[in-house]
Amino acid sequence: MTTPKIVADTSVIKTMRKLRIPQTERNRELSLLVLAFIVNIVMVLLVQLGATGAIDTTLVSLTATLAALVLGLHVCLRYVAPKADPLLLPIVSVLNGIGVAMIYRLDIAEGYTGWDAFSTRQIVWSAIAIIAAITVILVVRNHRVLFRYTYVFGFSAFVLLLLPLIPGLGRRVNGAQVWIGIGDVLTFQPGEVAKIALAIFFAGYLVRTRDSLSLVGRRFLGIQFPRLRDLGPIVVVWALSMGVIVFQRDLGTALLYFGMFTVMIYVATGRLSWVLIGLGLFGGGAAIASQSLTYVNGRFNNWLDAFSQEVYDAQGGSFQLLQGIFGLAHGGLVGTGLGQGRPAITPLAESDYIIASLGEELGLAGLFAILALYLVFVGRGIRVGFMDGDDFGKLLSLGLAFTVALQVFIMVGGVTRVIPLTGLTTPFLAAGGSSLVANWIIVALLLRVSDSAKPARNTEVSA
Amino acid sequence: MNKELRRVSVVVVAMFAALFMSTSVITVFQADSLAADPRNSRTLYDSYRTERGPILAGSEVIAQSVATGDRFAFQRQYPEAELYAAVTGYFNPTQGSSGIERSMNDLLSGTSNLQFLDEINRIISGQPPKGAAVQVTVDPAVQRAAFDALGDMSGSVVAIEPATGRILAMVSTPTYDPNALAGTDTQAVIGNYNALLEDEGDPLINRGIAGDLNPPGSTFKLVVATAAFESGEYAPETQLPNPASLTLPGTNTPVFNSGRGQCGGGGDTVSIADAIRYSCNIPFAELGLRLGDDAIRETAERYGFNESLSIPLSVESSVYPQVLDTPQTGLSSFGQSDVRATPLQMAMVSAGIANDGELMTPGLVDEVTGRNLEPLQTFEPSVLRTTSTPETAESITQAMIASVSSGAATNARIDGVSVAGKTGTAENGTGDPYTLWFTGFAPAEDPQVAVAVVIEDGGGRGQDGSGNALAAPVAKKVLEAVLNE
């Protein structure tokens, strides 16, 4: 960044120079952010006009506060990651705002106010999440530091996953034992943070061992299969995922972890056999689970036979799923308009079914826009892998971006009956603090990796 | 690594393509069938948002929608609830409906095909949804006169304009308050509904057109007389045997005239005209036996028996049995045995006679007007059937006039107006209270209104009441209400 002409390089001069250098990426980000903030505030206003017919400035100012925090993150990026991808932050800002507006809309429908309101908690968690992202971007100045602690992250992920199973600390919510709580006040899903630790661990581990994983083995049916003893890692991850299914009763999280690992090992080794082994292992495990575990079996029934009256009436049956689908259908092509539908009829409309709620009021047009935002976000994450940079960074950003894609697929696909519905969160949209914090940290890491991956010559500026 | 990344990108795009497809399928291709799913409460809630059109009688609003401010948005209000209950029925968004509210629901709620253009206009101009207004044919003055005249008695009055078929009054007592069933508090509504169901007076039943139908008694003689005159073998002055009692072939129980004597002033024979005038059972039993049940059934069916009708409220069909043996034919000739009739049916008999043998299709809906006051549907008088020749109608009219002026129906007399009428006092079983009837029309030479009155449970007087004592005065009030306008 510094030019050779200046010898006496004080921090003051450095700062002044940084301010002087035209930061194309950051300026582009800023203009997109302004657009995102306008969208967010207008959505809140439309919700108020649509649902109550009056304007209440409290939530507008709270949304503006979040915008200010995002601006803070933007300013930090100008200093510590000026070449980071300019699309990531505006996309997640607008998604986060859409989520807040819809959750607020549901609060109005349910009559929740103050701290009882999901929207209030969502805004506070968003603030915490953005601050966490700022912290990560400030502390982790170089993502290669993370590579050094590969096994520490692996161990932490393991511990985080086990936390909810500790008696007294774990909480069971909607059947899944994935929460920890201190008293009744603070509850957290450590699995959300664990997925980041796992991504770092997988990336570090695979970069270290990929040669032995990819080069040795025998060919069978034209595909090179690994040696039996190299199957160790995938079996361990598989066992971990199955453990999540059996002990934490959380199908979605297991699918998420395993999908992330399979994709990362495939990209690291370039061996399709790993994908086949992975699909085989997980498919077999899921098949056995669907037969032997009643909750998994119920999920499959709800999926395949959603419209049968028997399944609809059953305890934990397809009632919620169908109400969500009715909501989507009610929205049609252009939606009922914000504040004018009836998304609150669907249970869990603010979390599992947030996408159905959005579909009802914003219509297919709105859903396509949201899905397109996710697609661009994931695309920008994968794009880092195509650029000049270290393999650890490439693998890490691929893993993180793919978890977002997979999570969107599992949730939207679950609500729209592409796959059985499992309880995950729709990233950035759904009500839930742990998910917000984890996903904003993912954004920070993607920003960090994308900043370093950018080839220097592309951003060279004349002083 | 790039090759693998590209493949992963393809997988990601495929995953999202699946989501684009699944959301499109649900929101567009399956939207209609999903909206029609009975478990989809959103469709139901949407219907609440519509301001149902009002129901009007004359210049009176008898049903209207008022804003509630809750999720139902509107609720029905009935200003003259008990007076018009038989006409309006009730409407509850979740618990059902009856009466005009039910049979005109698609127009009142704005979902009828007739309102399609209206609806498009509305969406473009951004107006709130609103249903059409239904103007009923009921005349408030006639309705009120009928309601007041019935008082505490259980029964019904139906009045028809003979020349058009317009129903001028339809009252059923005991009545109920539709407002009690229109509320949005579901539990309260269900409680009220169950209380009305258990009420011994059966207030929810519209006796004008449905319920446990009553035997028409002597009013049915009008139908038998029509059959006789139409056969060409009988005239008003045709003489019939006049014994004091008649044991029907194949039975041991004798049939008597009311009063247990001979018909009229006595003598060996009596004319058909006098048998109508004095309402004698024995001559009519003899006449019925001579005509046979097929001829009577054919005439009865021309008046509307054995046929259900939509006015557009659905009318239970009055009954002249399909198979009758000889004694049953005799008994049914004066409206006993298994003959059953609604007041609307008996009013139609009078209306047919009054309109020179042309029975007009009865109807309750005068006009339906859309949100911009454009007429969507108008009452078009139509002939239901020709019931007799004008000559037959005239002969029966003369006998009915005589019955009111100096016969068995004198309590329907109105000064200065010639009233044609026929009473009925039907037996329901040994010791059970009589069913009291009156049907007729006025003025006889230019009929403005045909009416039928039924009073159940003997009007509270057991077997002491008669059609002339209790039903004729009610009919008189109704006829006067029309003639005074």
Side-chain angles (χ1 to χ4, degrees), chain A residues 341-365:
Chain A
R342 303 180 188 279
I345 291 175
T346 312
L348 300 177
E350 74 291 334
S351 52
D352 282 12
Y353 289 90
I354 187 98
I355 204 76
S357 307
L358 287 163
E360 180 168 355
E361 300 213 322
L362 298 177
L364 185 64

Side-chain angles (χ1 to χ4, degrees), chain B residues 134-169:
Chain B
V134 172
Q135 174 84 44
V136 293
T137 54
V138 169
D139 181 326
V142 183
Q143 179 84 0
R144 194 162 278 121
F147 185 72
D148 292 345
L150 274 176
D152 292 337
M153 295 184 290
S154 166
S156 172
V157 174
V158 173
I160 302 180
E161 191 173 62
T164 61
R166 283 190 167 84
I167 294 172
L168 301 176

